[in-house]
Each structure stands twice: as structure tokens, then as C-alpha cells.
Amino acid sequence: LVESEVKRSALKAAHDRVISRCGGFDNPQRTSTFVANADLVLKRKAARAGSLAAEAALLSRKAPMQADLEYVDGLLGRVRASRDPDAFLAVSTAMGLDASGKEEIFGRVSGSTSSMYAWQLAACSIGLNCNSNGALMTQYCSAGGICEAAPNLESLIFNHLVTRPEEVEIRRMTNEIVSNIINSK
């Protein structure tokens, strides 16, 4: 009963954070007129205005600004060089299962759920708020129902989502990503 109450409380807190950030979209009348692909339109507009995170998010949504391999390679290089935690987070999905079998394009730390987690943890290590009240943890809670009483993303991943051997591999990949950031200064 106590565990159930903790989960319910965490889900409510996540819901409240989403509502406070997206106030107008909680209204059912407005939601019905909201076009499903409006997010892509807004991300394209932001990417054209210079938002690297928006551009990386488009790659993760399988709708990159350009589809050629040179563009993707250049975008990934710009994300790595940027040290922008939001860009690292935005590209993390593209570095996951979508990159499977495409190491020559996406690099060594790609192609699995573990690599997606590694990119997210790298984003945390360079400044993304990965605490229980941060946007990423809110997303895990509200979208995935993962509302354990984890104080941060690292705890959530290593205590609830992966096995011990996967943890070792994710830590290795995260260290590789972060050391590449540090060494490219």
C-alpha cells in the first residue's frame, strides 16, 4: 500500500510538472484542434533558427533536416562538439535502437537501448537536470509510468531498468562519450 501511494504521488507530481509547462495543451478543446505533427513543424522552425537541440530531436524523430549521410555525420559532430546537454538528450533516441547496424554513421556508442541510456547519462554529466523533478525524469514517469522513488536518472536506470552486466556496459559507454567531450576541448 505504501509503495502504491509513493508511485501515485510521483505520477501526480510528474503530471503537475507537465501541466505547468504545457498549460494550454491540457485543455481538451484546444487539444482536439492541435495537429499531431505540430511538434515537428515547431522543431523544424527552431532548427532553422539555430537550435541544435531541435535539429538533433528531428533526427531522433526520423525527420532530419536532410537525409544524406554527410548531413547526419556533420550533425552528430556538431552535437558532440557543442557540449550542449539538451542536444545530447535530443540525439539520444537516434543513438539507440534506430542506429542498430549503422555504427559507421552513428559511431561506436550507438545501436542499443544501452547506448541511448549512455547518451542520456552523458547529458546529465554535462549539466542536464536529471533529478526527480527534471524534465527527463518527468517524461519517464508520465509517458512510461516509471515513477519509482528514484532521486535521479542514474538511479532509475541502474536500479530499475537494466541488469548488472548492462550497467557495466552503460557506464563504459557513458565514460567514452564524456571523455570524448573532455578531450575535444
Side-chain angles (χ1 to χ4, degrees), residues 46-93:
R48 281 193 297 273
S51 170
L52 184 60
E55 196 174 351
L58 288 169
L59 179 64
S60 285
R61 295 277 307 270
K62 300 178 187 171
M65 297 292 283
Q66 298 174 31
D68 61 275
L69 299 180
E70 289 177 17
Y71 167 79
V72 172
D73 184 54
L75 173 60
L76 294 174
R78 288 186 287 128
V79 167
R80 286 182 188 104
S82 74
R83 298 177 184 81
D84 177 351
D86 292 316
F88 272 68
L89 175 61
V91 82
S92 67
T93 302

Side-chain angles (χ1 to χ4, degrees), residues 8-77:
R8 189 173 16 262
S9 175
L11 186 56
K12 173 148 179 28
H15 179 264
D16 291 347
R17 285 192 301 274
V18 170
I19 295 304
S20 72
R21 293 184 69 205
C22 306
F25 296 111
D26 190 48
N27 181 334
Q29 293 169 333
R30 292 181 99 185
T31 303
S32 65
T33 60
F34 185 69
V35 179
N37 288 327
D39 182 54
L40 285 176
V41 171
L42 294 172
K43 284 202 180 357
R44 283 195 184 286
K45 185 176 181 179
R48 281 193 297 273
S51 170
L52 184 60
E55 196 174 351
L58 288 169
L59 179 64
S60 285
R61 295 277 307 270
K62 300 178 187 171
M65 297 292 283
Q66 298 174 31
D68 61 275
L69 299 180
E70 289 177 17
Y71 167 79
V72 172
D73 184 54
L75 173 60
L76 294 174

